[in-house]
Amino acid sequence: GNSVTQMEGPVTLSEEAFLTINCTYTATGYPSLFWYVQYPGEGLQLLLKATKADDKGSNKGFEATYRKETTSFHLEKGSVQVSDSAVYFCALSGFNQGGKLIFGQGTELSVKP
Amino acid sequence: DGGITQSPKYLFRKEGQNVTLSCEQNLNHDAMYWYRQDPGQGLRLIYYSQIVNDFQKGDIAEGYSVSREKKESFPLTVTSAQKNPTAFYLCASSTRGGAFFGQGTRLTVV
């Protein structure tokens, strides 16, 4: 079945450091891929998405490229801020799955001043 | 503004009681979902509905029930059969572009 695997956290960085959170997936066909962010005590917010191979999703300085050859969708940001501290979830929606999302376990990011 | 509203934000339940969590959306989305989140874990799907008057079990449906009488509403009942209900519950609705989440309800058994 479909699944998503994320790098384990927590990840602790200093402000302005480069961020990479790895995400790989297993799926049949051509899933859509997503990154969501969750701030403490809140729901999830869609950060970015990509719907086909080689697409790059981007938002608020974050980027991720849909790599079908490596079944990956790694999240990157060139210079993190303290306000980026949150939990990040990688997710996929399989083809013909009616929008149902399968999530990775989440990666907690803590950015120190 | 369009969005998803969950209520209440905090809910306390005595053992043996049923409780109902509310989820309302005005995004005109056909599909709606309930997820459970436990500390340090990802989200697990409880139930989902792709159309009014129809819904399907997710991965952890035991001890839960839902209804979908209106497109806008997808309430979740946590029954006394759910042995470990303390968790954070998230409702979502979706289009092909992705899912949109409510702010969550934190349920605690006292």
Side-chain angles (χ1 to χ4, degrees), chain A residues 20-83:
Chain A
T20 300
I21 300 178
N22 290 338
C23 171
T24 57
Y25 68 91
T26 302
T28 55
Y30 300 91
S32 295
L33 302 173
F34 305 87
W35 277 101
Y36 284 85
V37 58
Q38 184 179 35
Y39 299 100
E42 297 185 8
L44 275 67
Q45 300 175 27
L46 178 63
L47 182 60
L48 54 84
K49 67 176 190 267
T51 57
K52 61 183 187 296
D54 300 324
D55 267 2
K56 177 185 282 187
S58 62
N59 186 25
K60 299 180 181 179
F62 292 90
E63 293 183 340
T65 301
Y66 189 141
R67 302 284 189 199
K68 187 151 182 73
E69 65 275 14
T70 55
T71 62
S72 65
F73 193 55
H74 305 321
L75 183 69
E76 296 181 337
K77 186 175 186 182
S79 175
V80 293
Q81 306 300 311
V82 172
S83 57

Side-chain angles (χ1 to χ4, degrees), chain A residues 36 38 43 49 98-101, chain B residues 33 35 37 45 50 97 99 101-102:
Chain A
Y36 284 85
Q38 184 179 35
K49 67 176 190 267
K100 193 169 52 168
L101 287 167
Chain B
Y33 310 83
Y35 290 90
Q37 186 178 26
L45 183 64
Q50 294 181 321
F101 284 80

